[in-house]
Amino acid sequence: MISFLDLKEQYHSISKEIELAINNVLEQGQFILGQNVETFENEFANYCGAKYGIGVGSGTEALHLALLVSGVKPSDEVITVPNTAISTALIISHVNAIPVFVDIDPETFLLDPSKIEKRLTKKTKAIIPVHLYGHPADMDPILEIAERYKLAVIEDACQAHGAEYKGKKVGSLGDFGCFSFYPTKNLGAYGDGGMIVTNDEEKARELRMLRNYGRIDRYRCKTKGFNSRLDEIQAAILRVKLKMLDRWNESRGRLAGLYSNLLRNSKVGVPIEKPWAKHVFHLYVVKSSERDKLKNYLQSKEVETLIHFPIPIHLQDSYKCLGYKIHDFPICENLCKEILSLPLYPELTEDKINLIVSLISDGRWKV
Ligand SMILES: *Cc1c(COP(=O)(O)O)cnc(C)c1O
């Protein structure tokens, strides 16, 4: 059996350091908003090339709080894509704003900047580009439109820790960069966690308040905040893992290159990497018009695959209220039928990739 992902292998390679880090937290007895969170916030912001980092409870919460401090009000509109984790739309709804979807670029599967302006209204207040699968969205034209119409830009970088756009790390390009440390992400905790990075000192202060009940000190509360904090144990774990992130991303890139090279003459489409992009391959996603046959065949040969994501958000039951229909976003909808995520993680062996590729290349799944 080749599993889609194996988190235990990575843990075993760093278990001594992890156990030491967890033990230190237990011995110190400080579990919420202590030294590990503060240090990790600085280390991760620094890694992203941003001034401030605010550790929160999850990637979803990072997006939620960033949207709140962007000044998005009830019934405002926020631009994003229909092919993303449901969280990206949920947080727009949870501030009582309206998600407005834009179709994607057929080559990169990411927000198509040339389609944004047609969707803008007087109520549009923000754009959330998603660096899906680890490939950065085309940020320059997005930032240019945002500047012209005075819109906030919140990067959903939950799948793209360490990815670069024109030599700059994602997360540092818009007003806010939002990251998830869900265990399966390129930088994953052993539980939930997230972070917002920003260069705006005032907003950083507001975010710190919001994640902690709206408090400015022990007894005084300035706004109606939340309980959404990265905890000390997760921060201590993430500090150990951050040191490994570049090496792990390199390994993902090398294995993705191997897949693409071996699949060059096969019948499946392989992911592209734009000249201006550094892709960190959170997922390795291929394309086939007979995706379901391929998936079933690989399953029968004990190769586990997944689909990210089979149902676009505008066609989810929970978003019927927006009134979208089939064919509203044809590029995205077609893609949802064709994409398949193959196993990819830093510790995956070349032997396993060779085996997966030989199964795809033997073409028997097509009959
Ligand atoms: C994982 C993910 C999220 C949500 O992160 P959580 O930590 O699970 O809340 C949001 N957007 C994208 C694109 C993601 O991949």
Side-chain angles (χ1 to χ4, degrees):
M1 175 80 194
I2 301 179
S3 53
F4 183 71
L5 179 64
D6 184 346
L7 293 174
K8 281 191 301 252
E9 239 177 281
Q10 184 172 87
Y11 167 62
H12 290 143
S13 73
I14 53 172
S15 59
K16 289 238 158 54
E17 263 194 281
I18 293 288
E19 279 153 24
L20 192 65
I22 293 175
N23 260 319
N24 282 340
V25 176
L26 297 177
E27 288 298 334
Q28 279 161 9
Q30 169 83 40
F31 298 104
I32 301 292
L33 297 183
Q35 203 51 56
N36 280 293
V37 170
E38 193 178 327
T39 310
F40 178 61
E41 286 174 339
N42 290 329
E43 288 169 348
F44 190 72
N46 195 40
Y47 176 83
C48 296
K51 281 195 193 144
Y52 309 100
I54 300 95
V56 295
S58 67
T60 307
E61 279 296 288
L63 289 160
H64 181 199
L65 299 186
L67 200 57
L68 273 174
V69 301
S70 299
V72 173
K73 297 277 180 310
S75 87
D76 282 345
E77 294 174 3
V78 178
I79 299 275
T80 193
V81 286
N83 64 327
T84 173
I86 192 79
S87 301
T88 319
L90 287 179
I91 54 104
I92 300 171
S93 306
H94 290 161
V95 301
N96 296 313
I98 299 157
V100 174
F101 299 114
V102 170
D103 211 349
I104 53 178
D105 178 302
E107 223 186 8
T108 61
F109 312 168
L110 302 167
L111 178 60
D112 185 342
S114 72
K115 297 191 178 117
I116 295 175
E117 280 189 88
K118 286 193 285 282
R119 306 283 289 148
L120 299 178
T121 73
K122 286 204 175 62
K123 297 196 154 194
T124 313
K125 292 291 157 54
I127 307 178
I128 309 183
V130 181
H131 306 306
L132 196 72
Y133 306 152
H135 191 293
D138 190 4
M139 291 300 291
D140 277 349
I142 295 171
L143 291 167
E144 190 273 318
I145 292 168
E147 169 99 52
R148 201 143 35 88
Y149 293 91
K150 307 230 174 317
L151 310 173
V153 175
I154 298 164
E155 295 172 69
D156 182 339
C158 290
Q159 299 193 356
H161 318 67
E164 290 175 16
Y165 178 74
K166 300 185 180 173
K168 276 193 185 158
K169 288 258 177 11
V170 301
S172 65
L173 306 159
D175 297 293
F176 303 95
C178 298
F179 292 86
S180 164
F181 303 121
Y182 186 81
T184 63
K185 309 285 171 159
N186 288 33
L187 179 59
Y190 296 138
D192 276 311
M195 192 173 298
I196 306 148
V197 300
T198 182
N199 289 319
D200 186 325
E201 187 180 1
E202 186 57 39
K203 300 287 187 199
R205 199 174 311 129
E206 254 183 80
L207 287 164
R208 279 182 220 290
M209 238 189 289
L210 275 180
R211 72 166 170 194
N212 194 28
Y213 316 125
R215 274 183 359 184
I216 38 173
D217 58 33
R218 181 175 284 269
Y219 298 115
R220 289 180 303 159
C221 296
K222 197 170 164 197
T223 58
K224 298 185 190 73
F226 301 84
N227 175 349
S228 177
R229 300 170 300 223
L230 181 65
D231 72 66
E232 280 288 301
I233 287 182
Q234 299 307 336
I237 290 164
L238 288 163
R239 289 187 61 199
V240 172
K241 294 184 80 176
L242 178 60
K243 289 184 282 176
M244 256 63 96
L245 178 59
D246 283 341
R247 216 176 314 152
W248 287 333
N249 279 344
E250 244 169 66
S251 179
R252 286 174 183 275
R254 184 176 53 80
L255 296 172
L258 178 62
Y259 261 130
S260 292
N261 207 14
L262 295 170
L263 287 170
R264 207 178 30 213
N265 298 317
S266 76
K267 290 280 188 293
V268 303
V270 299
I272 64 141
E273 185 172 17
K274 284 282 188 184
W276 38 257
K278 185 182 158 208
H279 195 328
V280 290
F281 292 96
H282 173 59
L283 295 168
Y284 185 82
V285 179
V286 297
K287 235 174 78 163
S288 163
S289 55
E290 295 174 279
R291 187 266 315 276
D292 293 338
K293 279 189 189 166
L294 175 59
K295 182 170 181 22
N296 291 339
Y297 180 68
L298 291 174
Q299 191 63 45
S300 76
K301 299 290 179 186
E302 306 212 300
V303 175
E304 187 186 17
T305 59
L306 293 172
I307 302 167
H308 302 85
F309 302 91
I311 307 173
I313 297 178
H314 67 287
L315 301 178
Q316 288 284 359
D317 284 348
S318 55
Y319 275 106
K320 272 193 186 136
C321 54
L322 295 176
Y324 288 106
K325 344 175 261 313
I326 290 177
H327 305 311
D328 279 345
F329 304 104
I331 298 169
C332 169
E333 289 167 31
N334 283 334
L335 200 74
C336 288
K337 295 180 195 135
E338 298 191 339
I339 45 175
L340 187 66
S341 308
L342 302 181
L344 182 71
Y345 52 92
E347 299 76 20
L348 184 66
T349 62
E350 297 192 1
D351 282 352
K352 286 181 178 165
I353 291 184
N354 281 319
L355 178 72
I356 296 166
V357 169
S358 68
L359 289 170
I360 296 173
S361 303
D362 78 16
R364 268 177 234 155
W365 48 280
K366 291 186 145 279
V367 293

